[in-house]
Amino acid sequence: MSTIFEYTPVEVDPITFEVIRHRLLSITDEQASTLASVSGSALVNEATDFNTGLYRAFGEVVTMGKTVTFHAASLSLMVKHVIEDCEESIGINPGDMFIVNHPHKGALHCPDIGVLAPIFFEGKRIGWTGGCAHQLDVGGMVPGSFASMAKDIRQEGMLIPPVKIVDRGELRGDVLNFITGMSRLPTNISLDLKGLMAANNVGVKGVLDTIAKYGAQTVLTVMDGMMDLSETKMRNRLRELPDGVFRAQAFLDHDGFENKIYKIHVELRKSGDRLIFDYSGSDDEAPGFINATRTGLLAGIYAGILPVIAFDLPWNAGLLRPVEVVSREGSVVSCKFPAPCSQGPLGAMWLVEVTTTEVISKLMASHPDYVAEAQAAPASGPDLFHIHGKNQYGEPATAPILEVMLSGGGAYAHRDGITVSGQRNITAGKAPNVEATELKLPVLYMYRRIVKVRTAEQYSTTVAAG
């Protein structure tokens, strides 16, 4: 007997379609606000290092938050792994929630924890809601869980495959205690997890309230119609662009153990209404923590293409249907278990976004109507400045200094990039509050300001003048 709600698509007038579409987007925004209200983490409140969204019954993205675009692909894959690992073994029921942070089960690296909840109507699953947030510490060999000396993913932090943390509406305290007990900051991770659960409750209620007003047939027609519309618009745009082959590459210059160079190489093949991103020319996986899993590869590609080719299109799974991704298992952008990958989102995965942005911009620049949307590649990954010690109350404290995220934006053909725009894949990111950082970390700011970069000629003139 099928556990999926079957429906027959109905005619929906354009006004009702748009009302429901924007209502679903508003639910996703409310999820984000709820998470930020509960969480005490600067990574959530200051860096917006999280994402929320709504998904169809098998994990297809219906809506995604405009926070960390990497996490949109990650959450969708988490849903699919929950279904694969849990549906037959422990069951997926109304009121359940599942927690995941395994980098080979949908997470980008161990610190990214996702919590996902199925949405049921009349006893049948119609979709999912979920959120993912970077945690300040998930255990492992170093505070903060960015393990530069790790040789094995199991040294980097706890690994949680899909596990049921809420069972039919009841929080499993044993599971929560087990997880928080492996973190150096149990109170912080507990708040974040409860924030993710609260965000899911908002998502489930919002979708069911919408169904109560408009009917399940209408709402599901709109959900699937949103994805179909984006796919149609994406394919139409691709048909406008010339066919061709475009290439880009970037380099990582250290793997945590030695100053070795690792190449990230992409070949984009565009034909008709299809895109093939081929990363099989990238170097072999590293012995250190810079690797990306297959999830990280997909996340980097999606974050690269959405703002460029889909700049004016609704962002959901429909945009990705014309996209095929080719990689080589065991490479730095598609590493095998148990290769370490805790820096992956700031390492190989980040350079996947950089190279994807470059090749998709080359494609867009080949058409006079879209050359204005082509942009220079974003910053090639922030240097990680992670502090740990004791705060003013003598409690353990660890967190990254978030100013490293405030890089400039890539330039366009018709204008310069934006100074201190923040990272391109964190569309809602903002500068951290200095006082909040000082309150939580053993650090004192003397000043924070932009350092003007001087040319070699300006530098020589300054030196000559004494």
Side-chain angles (χ1 to χ4, degrees), residues 231-276:
E231 179 186 4
T232 298
K233 289 180 175 291
M234 181 69 156
R235 291 189 185 278
N236 287 342
R237 176 153 297 164
L238 289 173
R239 292 188 188 100
E240 293 181 72
L241 297 167
D243 292 346
V245 178
F246 308 86
R247 299 180 182 89
Q249 61 187 24
F251 298 91
L252 285 164
D253 59 2
H254 206 290
D255 60 21
F257 295 101
E258 59 179 319
N259 194 22
K260 184 178 178 182
I261 299 296
Y262 292 85
K263 177 179 67 179
I264 285 81
H265 181 277
V266 61
E267 179 178 280
L268 170 62
R269 299 188 288 273
K270 187 271 176 184
S271 178
D273 62 356
R274 296 285 299 171
L275 292 174
I276 299 176

Side-chain angles (χ1 to χ4, degrees), residues 31 34-35 38 97 192-203:
Q31 289 178 270
T34 301
L35 171 57
V38 176
M97 291 193 197
D192 276 355
L193 295 183
K194 290 175 181 177
L196 290 166
M197 294 176 206
N200 284 341
N201 287 333
V202 167

Side-chain angles (χ1 to χ4, degrees), residues 70 103-104 108-111 141 145-153 155-156 250-264 279 282-297 300 330-336 338-353 380-384:
F70 285 153
H104 292 276
L108 305 177
H109 59 165
C110 295
M141 65 193 299
S145 309
F146 284 97
S148 61
M149 299 305 291
K151 298 181 179 180
D152 188 301
I153 192 173
Q155 296 175 294
E156 296 182 310
F251 298 91
L252 285 164
D253 59 2
H254 206 290
D255 60 21
F257 295 101
E258 59 179 319
N259 194 22
K260 184 178 178 182
I261 299 296
Y262 292 85
K263 177 179 67 179
I264 285 81
Y279 273 88
S282 299
D283 282 347
D284 290 344
E285 65 186 39
F289 71 151
I290 64 173
N291 301 296
T293 63
R294 171 77 178 183
T295 299
L297 172 64
S331 67
V332 70
V333 296
S334 195
C335 65
K336 293 180 181 179
C341 60
S342 55
Q343 200 210 14
L346 306 180
M349 193 179 86
W350 206 286
L351 292 189
V352 169
E353 182 203 3
S380 298
D383 292 324
L384 184 64

